[in-house]
Amino acid sequence: MLQLNCPHCQAILSVPPSQAGAISECSRCGGKFLVPVPMARSPEASAADASNHRAMDSEYRDFVDKKLAAGICGILLGGFGVHKFLLGLNNAGLIMLAVSLSGLVVGPCLILPLFGPAIMGVIGLIEGIIYLTKSQDGFYQTYSVEKKEWF
Ligand SMILES: [Zn+2]
């Protein structure tokens, strides 16, 4: 039997496959509708799907594998944005690196810019801890799918 929804009342109907392509009548509301012909899945389409799925899978695994490394880099080297480069968040990584480096270069002459690397270091530390405490799924969703740049 084919399972389909009545287009009029949304009732779930079972229709014999012999009616595919023919007009049928809903047993609940009496509305008439065309029974869709089930699409035979071509072997090529199934193969493409399977390889898509594999690509998705290995992309997921590769990304999740970086969770620990990114967390540790964030905690130890946070101010240099290494953990962001690891996750492909290059813009945010560059910002952290630039703020930290400019602070290191200008810092010795002025007290204020020293706060730059310190603040970036704290941000990195917090982000590292967030990475480590996230679930693998949450980590993948947040930083690979949504590409969240900060925290
Ligand atoms: Zn109906």
Side-chain angles (χ1 to χ4, degrees):
M1 297 295 261
L2 298 171
Q3 294 277 329
L4 54 102
N5 285 329
C6 167
H8 308 287
C9 69
Q10 307 305 321
I12 297 166
L13 307 169
S14 294
V15 214
S18 59
Q19 285 205 31
I23 303 287
S24 186
E25 194 172 285
C26 173
S27 56
R28 197 165 111 184
C29 70
K32 291 194 167 38
F33 59 89
L34 181 69
V35 180
V37 181
M39 298 295 263
R41 310 259 308 138
S42 69
E44 302 90 75
S46 307
D49 255 28
S51 92
N52 260 344
H53 193 75
R54 269 197 303 278
M56 182 58 198
D57 250 357
S58 74
E59 188 200 318
Y60 175 89
R61 274 199 309 275
D62 287 351
F63 195 82
V64 168
D65 276 350
K66 291 187 242 174
K67 188 162 108 77
L68 183 63
I72 291 170
C73 286
I75 290 168
L76 299 180
L77 302 165
F80 299 102
V82 178
H83 57 299
K84 297 213 185 278
F85 291 118
L86 263 180
L87 301 184
L89 303 171
N90 293 341
N91 287 340
L94 282 174
I95 291 170
M96 289 190 101
L97 190 60
V99 171
S100 288
L101 288 184
S102 67
L104 290 180
V105 173
V106 189
C109 314
L110 298 159
I111 292 170
L112 192 64
L114 278 175
F115 287 109
I119 291 166
M120 288 299 124
V122 170
I123 291 177
L125 174 71
I126 294 169
E127 288 176 335
I129 292 169
I130 293 174
Y131 295 168
L132 293 181
T133 52
K134 268 194 184 292
S135 70
Q136 293 196 340
D137 280 349
F139 182 77
Y140 181 78
Q141 175 66 25
T142 307
Y143 302 108
S144 181
V145 179
E146 295 167 20
K147 303 214 178 294
K148 187 174 180 231
E149 295 199 325
W150 301 99
F151 301 105

